[in-house]
Amino acid sequence: MKSGFIAMVGRPNVGKSTLTNKLVKEKVAIVSNKAGTTRDQIKGIFTKGDSQYIFVDTPGIHKPKHLLGEHMTDVAIRTLKEVEVILFILDGTQEISTGDMFVMEKILEAKGTPRIAVINKIDLLSDDEIENKKKEIKEKLGEFDRIITLSAEYGIGTEKVLKVLENYLVEGVMYYPEDMYTDMPIYKIISEIVREKILIKTKDEIPHSVAIEIINVTRRNKGKDKYEINIYVERNSQKGIIIGKNGKLLKEIGTEARKDIEELLGKEIYLNLWVKVKEKWRKKKPFLKELGYFINEE
Ligand SMILES: Nc1nc2c(ncn2[C@@H]2O[C@H](COP(=O)(O)OP(=O)(O)OP(=O)(O)O)[C@@H](O)[C@H]2O)c(=O)[nH]1
Ligand SMILES: [Mg+2]
């Protein structure tokens, strides 16, 4: 048996979660076009034959503006020290920035861990642009064991990633059962589904101000189970936006989330969503802990 942990790191919005899902062949992590979608470390597990790949998706590394952001960046940086190989994912349509250089600095601090640069979103690039991007990486970020080019969204070049990564797996134990594809508890997956629908349907500051908490689940022998979920926002105006005119937006969010949750659970459910205001929750550690962030802290 060969197995290994693979860090998926990079700036926000480059496609780390999209790539994780593609490689695991299951939807493990939520995806949106908003930077800061992933807030925690998420393991996506892919087992094939006697090889087990454990992809560790992480929040985008950025300059934190609040406690939640600090937690997110810390999680990603900590992950670098826990893996066999690091995939540094870059958005091929964007210039290499000081943000990328900061990520590289942190990667170099994980002394000696093999590193691979991944140029994502090549569906949006010409061949020349891809070649130039490779040069830019070498010039601005330095040496990598390898540079891989792919499109996570369209599955172009993603299969070869598994082949390359096979070389970094180490002889040893199987960490997870063969049929397990994530270490996320089911209640967390459900919260994330609700958050994804909100992220997709809102813009501006709303996505960052949203937190989800399952407050009650009523199980019934006859009839459907009932899930009651709080959506926290930071201001009254945000509450109004999420609810929408005559409750229209909240209803849409609820319907779409319910469908995904039903597919996940393999049964129909009732889903009740409540929108609550909790001022500056992203800066309040006790509340963040209640939501499951900072749980590894001593
Ligand atoms: N065109 C194109 N878009 C992509 C590709 N991969 C990802 N995207 C899009 O890029 C956006 C960000 O994708 P995510 O997977 O959420 O990015 P992330 O790096 O996990 O982002 P954070 O969790 O916020 O750090 C989404 O809108 C994706 O659909 C790709 O190969 N091509
Ligand atoms: Mg992500």
Side-chain angles (χ1 to χ4, degrees), residues 13 15-18 29-32 36-39 57-60:
N13 214 37
K16 300 178 293 296
S17 300
T18 308
I30 61 168
V31 165
S32 88
T37 298
T38 307
R39 289 180 177 169
D57 187 17
T58 64

Side-chain angles (χ1 to χ4, degrees), residues 89-107:
I89 299 144
L90 297 129
D91 179 336
T93 68
Q94 305 240 327
E95 226 176 285
I96 309 279
S97 67
T98 51
D100 291 308
M101 290 170 199
F102 179 71
V103 175
M104 189 66 185
E105 230 172 79
K106 294 295 157 191
I107 289 176

Side-chain angles (χ1 to χ4, degrees), residues 27-91:
K27 180 149 175 184
V28 176
I30 61 168
V31 165
S32 88
N33 61 0
K34 314 290 188 301
T37 298
T38 307
R39 289 180 177 169
D40 246 307
Q41 192 194 74
I42 297 171
K43 294 197 179 83
I45 306 145
F46 180 67
T47 311
K48 192 178 175 196
D50 66 351
S51 300
Q52 182 163 76
Y53 304 79
I54 303 145
F55 297 98
V56 190
D57 187 17
T58 64
I61 295 176
H62 64 288
K63 222 184 204 143
K65 295 195 192 83
H66 41 71
L67 262 179
L68 176 62
E70 231 172 80
H71 163 81
M72 288 161 63
T73 293
D74 284 355
V75 163
I77 293 171
R78 201 164 355 107
T79 301
L80 296 169
K81 305 202 167 82
E82 302 168 351
V83 297
E84 268 68 50
V85 52
I86 296 165
L87 293 192
F88 181 1
I89 299 144
L90 297 129
D91 179 336

Side-chain angles (χ1 to χ4, degrees), residues 15 18-19 22 31 120-121 123 150-156 158:
T18 308
L19 183 59
K22 201 57 158 195
V31 165
N120 187 28
K121 309 197 186 182
D123 51 288
L150 54 80
S151 165
E153 177 98 23
Y154 296 99
I156 305 165
T158 46

